Amino acid sequence: MSERASAPGGLALVESLVNTLDLETGADTLETPQARAGLRLAADEDLTAVRELRESLRATLLAHAGHAPHRPVTPLGTLLAAAPLVVAVSAEDGSASLRPAADPAPLLSRVAAAVAEALTAGTWQRLKACEAPDCHWAYYDRSPAGRGRWCSMQVCGARAKMRRYRAK
């Protein structure tokens, strides 16, 4: 949906996961092998749990944009609390990071590590969901003031402005 560049670092994974569902058409690309491969989902990963994680992330990204959740969801913190992570310390420079405890890493652990990385980098609040009710596409807000509202000014922004104009 969006012409924006993808989110930096691990947030690209979060953005990609949220954007596997097109709310306008109902198309869920988690049904496709290409999307599952792109997210590096294990063959035995529970798609119901992945969808629950996706919608909890979407609700959180809506909150980043100042909007109420699109529907009742399990709180993201509750889901991420179950993610097995370890602190990895680099022998070369002593830097530390959170990493999934298992290899191959389940999606939940990779998302939790990405959120932790974004929190420390100060980028977590910039990942938002489009305010258009038929969209809620995830995007990374690169605006100077951090007040972006739509995933695309050419589509969702233009529609919102046109609706406002016609209402006058």
Side-chain angles (χ1 to χ4, degrees):
M1 171 73 74
S2 177
E3 71 281 348
R4 295 177 184 255
S6 69
L11 286 181
L13 170 65
V14 175
E15 182 181 43
S16 294
L17 174 58
V18 171
N19 292 344
T20 58
L21 177 64
D22 184 336
L23 292 179
E24 191 171 24
T25 66
D28 186 350
T29 60
L30 282 177
E31 300 295 332
T32 66
Q34 298 87 347
R36 289 193 299 271
L39 292 170
R40 296 185 352 240
L41 291 179
D44 62 343
E45 274 197 73
D46 179 12
L47 286 183
T48 301
V50 171
R51 286 185 178 101
E52 180 181 30
L53 175 61
R54 174 182 66 196
E55 296 313 310
S56 291
L57 285 164
R58 188 183 317 278
T60 300
L61 302 185
L62 280 166
H64 288 177
H67 301 288
H70 59 302
R71 64 180 177 86
V73 296
T74 304
L76 184 59
T78 302
L79 295 176
L80 295 182
L85 297 174
V86 297
V87 176
V89 179
S90 169
E92 291 82 40
D93 65 2
S95 62
S97 61
L98 285 177
R99 297 280 178 240
D103 191 34
L107 180 64
L108 180 63
S109 294
R110 289 185 287 127
V111 166
V115 169
E117 173 193 329
L119 278 169
T120 60
T123 57
W124 175 234
Q125 293 293 122
R126 290 278 184 150
L127 191 62
K128 300 178 179 181
C130 181
E131 76 174 38
D134 59 345
C135 181
H136 293 323
W137 205 252
Y139 68 94
Y140 188 76
D141 183 2
R142 287 185 166 80
S143 67
R147 293 189 182 146
R149 299 172 60 186
W150 301 288
C151 64
S152 166
M153 272 308 294
Q154 287 72 28
V155 179
C156 293
R159 287 177 185 169
K161 289 179 177 190
M162 186 57 69
R163 278 192 291 271
R164 211 169 32 241
Y165 173 76
R166 287 183 178 157
K168 289 181 182 181

